[in-house]
Short mmCIF file of all heavy atoms in Angstrom, two decimals:
data_model
loop_
_atom_site.label_atom_id
_atom_site.label_comp_id
_atom_site.label_asym_id
_atom_site.label_seq_id
_atom_site.Cartn_x
_atom_site.Cartn_y
_atom_site.Cartn_z
N THR A 1 0.88 -1.17 0.00
CA THR A 1 0.00 0.00 0.00
C THR A 1 0.91 1.22 0.00
O THR A 1 1.79 1.32 0.86
CB THR A 1 -0.91 0.03 1.24
OG1 THR A 1 -1.77 -1.11 1.22
CG2 THR A 1 -1.76 1.30 1.25
N PRO A 2 0.76 2.14 -0.95
CA PRO A 2 1.66 3.30 -1.01
C PRO A 2 1.58 4.16 0.25
O PRO A 2 0.51 4.32 0.84
CB PRO A 2 1.17 4.07 -2.23
CG PRO A 2 0.43 3.07 -3.06
CD PRO A 2 -0.19 2.13 -2.08
N LEU A 3 2.72 4.69 0.65
CA LEU A 3 2.75 5.63 1.75
C LEU A 3 2.03 6.92 1.34
O LEU A 3 1.91 7.24 0.16
CB LEU A 3 4.20 5.96 2.13
CG LEU A 3 5.03 4.81 2.72
CD1 LEU A 3 6.50 5.21 2.81
CD2 LEU A 3 4.51 4.38 4.07
N ALA A 4 1.56 7.65 2.34
CA ALA A 4 0.85 8.90 2.05
C ALA A 4 1.75 9.92 1.38
O ALA A 4 1.30 10.77 0.62
CB ALA A 4 0.27 9.47 3.35
N GLU A 5 3.05 9.83 1.67
CA GLU A 5 4.03 10.75 1.09
C GLU A 5 5.15 9.92 0.48
O GLU A 5 5.52 8.86 1.01
CB GLU A 5 4.58 11.67 2.17
CG GLU A 5 5.59 12.69 1.68
CD GLU A 5 6.06 13.62 2.79
OE1 GLU A 5 5.31 13.77 3.78
OE2 GLU A 5 7.16 14.17 2.66
N GLU A 6 5.69 10.39 -0.64
CA GLU A 6 6.79 9.68 -1.30
C GLU A 6 8.12 10.15 -0.71
O GLU A 6 8.65 11.20 -1.08
CB GLU A 6 6.76 9.92 -2.81
CG GLU A 6 7.80 9.13 -3.58
CD GLU A 6 7.55 7.63 -3.60
OE1 GLU A 6 6.46 7.19 -3.18
OE2 GLU A 6 8.45 6.88 -4.02
N TYR A 7 8.66 9.37 0.22
CA TYR A 7 9.90 9.74 0.89
C TYR A 7 11.11 9.38 0.02
O TYR A 7 11.11 8.37 -0.67
CB TYR A 7 10.01 9.05 2.24
CG TYR A 7 8.94 9.50 3.22
CD1 TYR A 7 7.78 8.75 3.39
CD2 TYR A 7 9.10 10.66 3.96
CE1 TYR A 7 6.79 9.15 4.27
CE2 TYR A 7 8.12 11.07 4.86
CZ TYR A 7 6.97 10.31 5.00
OH TYR A 7 5.98 10.72 5.87
N LYS A 8 12.15 10.19 0.11
CA LYS A 8 13.37 9.92 -0.63
C LYS A 8 14.07 8.68 -0.08
O LYS A 8 13.90 8.32 1.08
CB LYS A 8 14.30 11.13 -0.55
CG LYS A 8 13.76 12.38 -1.24
CD LYS A 8 14.75 13.53 -1.11
CE LYS A 8 14.21 14.79 -1.80
NZ LYS A 8 15.17 15.93 -1.65
N LEU A 9 14.90 8.07 -0.93
CA LEU A 9 15.62 6.87 -0.52
C LEU A 9 16.56 7.14 0.65
O LEU A 9 16.84 6.24 1.44
CB LEU A 9 16.42 6.31 -1.69
CG LEU A 9 15.66 5.86 -2.93
CD1 LEU A 9 16.62 5.31 -3.97
CD2 LEU A 9 14.62 4.81 -2.57
N ASP A 10 17.05 8.37 0.76
CA ASP A 10 18.03 8.70 1.80
C ASP A 10 17.43 9.58 2.89
O ASP A 10 18.15 10.30 3.58
CB ASP A 10 19.26 9.36 1.20
CG ASP A 10 18.93 10.60 0.36
OD1 ASP A 10 17.74 10.85 0.11
OD2 ASP A 10 19.88 11.30 -0.05
N GLU A 11 16.12 9.51 3.08
CA GLU A 11 15.45 10.30 4.13
C GLU A 11 15.72 9.67 5.49
O GLU A 11 15.29 8.55 5.77
CB GLU A 11 13.95 10.34 3.86
CG GLU A 11 13.14 11.04 4.93
CD GLU A 11 13.58 12.48 5.15
OE1 GLU A 11 13.27 13.32 4.28
OE2 GLU A 11 14.26 12.73 6.18
N THR A 12 16.44 10.39 6.35
CA THR A 12 16.80 9.85 7.67
C THR A 12 16.22 10.66 8.82
O THR A 12 16.52 10.38 9.99
CB THR A 12 18.33 9.80 7.83
OG1 THR A 12 18.87 11.13 7.70
CG2 THR A 12 18.96 8.89 6.78
N GLY A 13 15.40 11.66 8.53
CA GLY A 13 14.82 12.48 9.59
C GLY A 13 13.93 11.68 10.52
O GLY A 13 13.19 10.78 10.09
N ALA A 14 13.97 12.00 11.80
CA ALA A 14 13.21 11.25 12.80
C ALA A 14 11.71 11.31 12.53
O ALA A 14 11.00 10.31 12.66
CB ALA A 14 13.51 11.79 14.19
N SER A 15 11.20 12.48 12.15
CA SER A 15 9.76 12.61 11.91
C SER A 15 9.32 11.76 10.72
O SER A 15 8.26 11.13 10.73
CB SER A 15 9.38 14.07 11.69
OG SER A 15 10.05 14.61 10.56
N ALA A 16 10.15 11.72 9.67
CA ALA A 16 9.82 10.91 8.50
C ALA A 16 9.86 9.42 8.84
O ALA A 16 8.97 8.66 8.42
CB ALA A 16 10.80 11.21 7.36
N LEU A 17 10.85 8.99 9.61
CA LEU A 17 10.94 7.59 10.01
C LEU A 17 9.76 7.20 10.90
O LEU A 17 9.21 6.10 10.78
CB LEU A 17 12.26 7.32 10.71
CG LEU A 17 13.52 7.45 9.84
CD1 LEU A 17 14.78 7.21 10.67
CD2 LEU A 17 13.48 6.47 8.67
N ASN A 18 9.37 8.10 11.80
CA ASN A 18 8.20 7.84 12.63
C ASN A 18 6.95 7.67 11.78
O ASN A 18 6.15 6.75 12.00
CB ASN A 18 7.98 8.99 13.62
CG ASN A 18 9.00 9.01 14.73
OD1 ASN A 18 9.62 7.99 15.03
ND2 ASN A 18 9.19 10.16 15.35
N ALA A 19 6.79 8.54 10.79
CA ALA A 19 5.62 8.47 9.92
C ALA A 19 5.61 7.17 9.13
O ALA A 19 4.57 6.50 9.01
CB ALA A 19 5.60 9.67 8.98
N MET A 20 6.76 6.78 8.59
CA MET A 20 6.83 5.54 7.81
C MET A 20 6.54 4.32 8.68
O MET A 20 5.83 3.40 8.26
CB MET A 20 8.19 5.42 7.13
CG MET A 20 8.37 6.35 5.94
SD MET A 20 9.88 6.01 4.99
CE MET A 20 11.08 6.98 5.91
N ALA A 21 7.09 4.30 9.89
CA ALA A 21 6.86 3.16 10.79
C ALA A 21 5.39 3.07 11.19
O ALA A 21 4.81 1.97 11.23
CB ALA A 21 7.74 3.29 12.03
N ASN A 22 4.78 4.21 11.47
CA ASN A 22 3.36 4.20 11.83
C ASN A 22 2.49 3.75 10.66
O ASN A 22 1.52 3.00 10.84
CB ASN A 22 2.93 5.59 12.30
CG ASN A 22 3.52 5.96 13.66
OD1 ASN A 22 3.83 5.07 14.46
ND2 ASN A 22 3.68 7.24 13.92
N GLU A 23 2.83 4.20 9.46
CA GLU A 23 2.07 3.76 8.29
C GLU A 23 2.27 2.28 8.02
O GLU A 23 1.36 1.60 7.54
CB GLU A 23 2.46 4.60 7.07
CG GLU A 23 1.91 6.02 7.11
CD GLU A 23 2.02 6.72 5.77
OE1 GLU A 23 1.43 6.23 4.79
OE2 GLU A 23 2.73 7.75 5.70
N ALA A 24 3.46 1.76 8.33
CA ALA A 24 3.70 0.33 8.16
C ALA A 24 2.76 -0.49 9.06
O ALA A 24 2.23 -1.52 8.64
CB ALA A 24 5.15 -0.01 8.49
N ARG A 25 2.53 -0.02 10.27
CA ARG A 25 1.60 -0.71 11.17
C ARG A 25 0.17 -0.63 10.63
O ARG A 25 -0.61 -1.59 10.77
CB ARG A 25 1.71 -0.13 12.58
CG ARG A 25 3.09 -0.37 13.21
CD ARG A 25 3.24 0.23 14.60
NE ARG A 25 4.58 -0.04 15.12
CZ ARG A 25 5.62 0.77 14.97
NH1 ARG A 25 5.47 1.93 14.35
NH2 ARG A 25 6.81 0.43 15.44
N ALA A 26 -0.15 0.49 10.02
CA ALA A 26 -1.47 0.62 9.40
C ALA A 26 -1.59 -0.32 8.20
O ALA A 26 -2.66 -0.90 7.96
CB ALA A 26 -1.71 2.06 8.98
N ILE A 27 -0.52 -0.48 7.44
CA ILE A 27 -0.52 -1.41 6.30
C ILE A 27 -0.73 -2.83 6.78
O ILE A 27 -1.47 -3.61 6.17
CB ILE A 27 0.81 -1.28 5.51
CG1 ILE A 27 0.86 0.07 4.78
CG2 ILE A 27 0.97 -2.42 4.51
CD1 ILE A 27 2.21 0.40 4.17
N PHE A 28 -0.09 -3.19 7.90
CA PHE A 28 -0.29 -4.52 8.47
C PHE A 28 -1.76 -4.73 8.81
O PHE A 28 -2.33 -5.79 8.50
CB PHE A 28 0.57 -4.69 9.72
CG PHE A 28 0.37 -6.00 10.44
CD1 PHE A 28 1.02 -7.15 10.03
CD2 PHE A 28 -0.50 -6.08 11.52
CE1 PHE A 28 0.82 -8.35 10.68
CE2 PHE A 28 -0.71 -7.27 12.18
CZ PHE A 28 -0.05 -8.42 11.76
N SER A 29 -2.37 -3.76 9.44
CA SER A 29 -3.79 -3.87 9.80
C SER A 29 -4.67 -3.98 8.57
O SER A 29 -5.63 -4.76 8.54
CB SER A 29 -4.21 -2.67 10.64
OG SER A 29 -3.49 -2.61 11.86
N LEU A 30 -4.34 -3.22 7.53
CA LEU A 30 -5.13 -3.23 6.30
C LEU A 30 -5.08 -4.59 5.63
O LEU A 30 -6.09 -5.06 5.08
CB LEU A 30 -4.59 -2.15 5.35
CG LEU A 30 -5.32 -1.98 4.02
CD1 LEU A 30 -6.76 -1.52 4.25
CD2 LEU A 30 -4.57 -0.99 3.14
N HIS A 31 -3.93 -5.26 5.68
CA HIS A 31 -3.76 -6.55 5.01
C HIS A 31 -3.79 -7.73 6.00
O HIS A 31 -3.37 -8.84 5.65
CB HIS A 31 -2.42 -6.57 4.26
CG HIS A 31 -2.34 -5.58 3.13
ND1 HIS A 31 -2.79 -5.87 1.86
CD2 HIS A 31 -1.87 -4.31 3.10
CE1 HIS A 31 -2.58 -4.82 1.08
NE2 HIS A 31 -2.03 -3.86 1.81
N LYS A 32 -4.28 -7.48 7.21
CA LYS A 32 -4.14 -8.48 8.27
C LYS A 32 -4.79 -9.81 7.92
O LYS A 32 -4.25 -10.88 8.21
CB LYS A 32 -4.72 -7.95 9.58
CG LYS A 32 -4.41 -8.85 10.77
CD LYS A 32 -4.83 -8.23 12.08
CE LYS A 32 -4.45 -9.12 13.26
NZ LYS A 32 -4.88 -8.54 14.55
N GLU A 33 -5.93 -9.79 7.27
CA GLU A 33 -6.62 -11.04 6.95
C GLU A 33 -5.76 -11.91 6.02
O GLU A 33 -5.64 -13.12 6.24
CB GLU A 33 -7.96 -10.73 6.30
CG GLU A 33 -8.81 -11.98 6.04
CD GLU A 33 -10.19 -11.65 5.52
OE1 GLU A 33 -10.65 -10.50 5.73
OE2 GLU A 33 -10.81 -12.53 4.91
N ARG A 34 -5.15 -11.31 5.01
CA ARG A 34 -4.31 -12.06 4.09
C ARG A 34 -3.03 -12.52 4.78
O ARG A 34 -2.55 -13.64 4.55
CB ARG A 34 -3.98 -11.20 2.87
CG ARG A 34 -5.22 -10.83 2.05
CD ARG A 34 -4.90 -9.77 1.02
NE ARG A 34 -3.92 -10.25 0.05
CZ ARG A 34 -2.82 -9.58 -0.29
NH1 ARG A 34 -2.55 -8.41 0.27
NH2 ARG A 34 -2.01 -10.07 -1.20
N ILE A 35 -2.47 -11.67 5.63
CA ILE A 35 -1.26 -12.04 6.35
C ILE A 35 -1.54 -13.19 7.31
O ILE A 35 -0.75 -14.13 7.44
CB ILE A 35 -0.69 -10.83 7.10
CG1 ILE A 35 -0.20 -9.77 6.09
CG2 ILE A 35 0.45 -11.25 8.02
CD1 ILE A 35 0.23 -8.47 6.73
N GLU A 36 -2.68 -13.14 8.00
CA GLU A 36 -3.04 -14.22 8.93
C GLU A 36 -3.19 -15.54 8.19
O GLU A 36 -2.78 -16.59 8.70
CB GLU A 36 -4.33 -13.87 9.66
CG GLU A 36 -4.15 -12.83 10.76
CD GLU A 36 -5.45 -12.51 11.47
OE1 GLU A 36 -6.53 -12.65 10.84
OE2 GLU A 36 -5.40 -12.10 12.64
N ALA A 37 -3.78 -15.51 7.00
CA ALA A 37 -3.95 -16.74 6.23
C ALA A 37 -2.60 -17.34 5.86
O ALA A 37 -2.39 -18.56 5.94
CB ALA A 37 -4.77 -16.46 4.97
N TYR A 38 -1.65 -16.48 5.47
CA TYR A 38 -0.31 -16.96 5.14
C TYR A 38 0.40 -17.47 6.40
O TYR A 38 1.03 -18.54 6.39
CB TYR A 38 0.50 -15.84 4.49
CG TYR A 38 1.79 -16.30 3.84
CD1 TYR A 38 1.84 -16.55 2.48
CD2 TYR A 38 2.94 -16.48 4.60
CE1 TYR A 38 3.03 -16.98 1.88
CE2 TYR A 38 4.12 -16.91 4.02
CZ TYR A 38 4.16 -17.15 2.65
OH TYR A 38 5.33 -17.58 2.08
N ALA A 39 0.30 -16.71 7.48
CA ALA A 39 0.97 -17.08 8.73
C ALA A 39 0.47 -18.41 9.28
O ALA A 39 1.22 -19.16 9.91
CB ALA A 39 0.79 -15.98 9.76
N ALA A 40 -0.79 -18.72 9.05
CA ALA A 40 -1.35 -19.99 9.54
C ALA A 40 -0.61 -21.17 8.92
O ALA A 40 -0.36 -22.19 9.59
CB ALA A 40 -2.84 -20.06 9.22
N HIS A 41 -0.23 -21.05 7.66
CA HIS A 41 0.56 -22.12 7.01
C HIS A 41 1.96 -22.20 7.61
O HIS A 41 2.49 -23.29 7.82
CB HIS A 41 0.65 -21.86 5.51
CG HIS A 41 -0.66 -21.99 4.78
ND1 HIS A 41 -1.27 -23.22 4.57
CD2 HIS A 41 -1.47 -21.07 4.23
CE1 HIS A 41 -2.40 -23.03 3.91
NE2 HIS A 41 -2.55 -21.74 3.71
N LEU A 42 2.55 -21.04 7.90
CA LEU A 42 3.88 -21.04 8.51
C LEU A 42 3.85 -21.70 9.89
O LEU A 42 4.74 -22.47 10.24
CB LEU A 42 4.40 -19.61 8.63
CG LEU A 42 4.56 -18.80 7.34
CD1 LEU A 42 5.13 -17.41 7.66
CD2 LEU A 42 5.46 -19.51 6.34
N ALA A 43 2.83 -21.38 10.66
CA ALA A 43 2.74 -21.91 12.02
C ALA A 43 2.51 -23.42 12.04
O ALA A 43 2.84 -24.10 13.02
CB ALA A 43 1.62 -21.20 12.78
N ALA A 44 1.93 -23.94 10.95
CA ALA A 44 1.64 -25.38 10.88
C ALA A 44 2.85 -26.20 10.43
O ALA A 44 2.79 -27.43 10.41
CB ALA A 44 0.47 -25.62 9.93
N ARG A 45 3.93 -25.54 10.10
CA ARG A 45 5.10 -26.24 9.56
C ARG A 45 5.73 -27.15 10.61
O ARG A 45 5.90 -26.76 11.77
CB ARG A 45 6.12 -25.22 9.07
CG ARG A 45 7.37 -25.87 8.51
CD ARG A 45 8.25 -24.90 7.78
NE ARG A 45 9.21 -25.62 6.96
CZ ARG A 45 9.79 -25.16 5.89
NH1 ARG A 45 9.50 -23.94 5.47
NH2 ARG A 45 10.64 -25.89 5.21
#
């Protein structure tokens, strides 16, 4: 899922990293059903 802002490859500012990390958690929630389905196979290994 695209980030709300297109950050540069070399963006190291704390506020930008905070924003990207928070959006990553939102991406996990958005795709959680698909991730859970995949993880269920991993857990059964």
Side-chain angles (χ1 to χ4, degrees):
T1 297
L3 294 170
E5 181 177 336
E6 185 68 11
Y7 295 97
K8 295 180 180 179
L9 299 181
D10 55 351
E11 176 58 74
T12 60
S15 61
L17 293 178
N18 287 338
M20 286 189 274
N22 289 334
E23 287 194 61
R25 295 179 181 92
I27 290 170
F28 176 83
S29 298
L30 182 64
H31 296 273
K32 189 173 183 181
E33 185 175 338
R34 296 169 63 230
I35 293 173
E36 284 180 334
Y38 192 98
H41 292 288
L42 300 181
R45 180 168 196 155

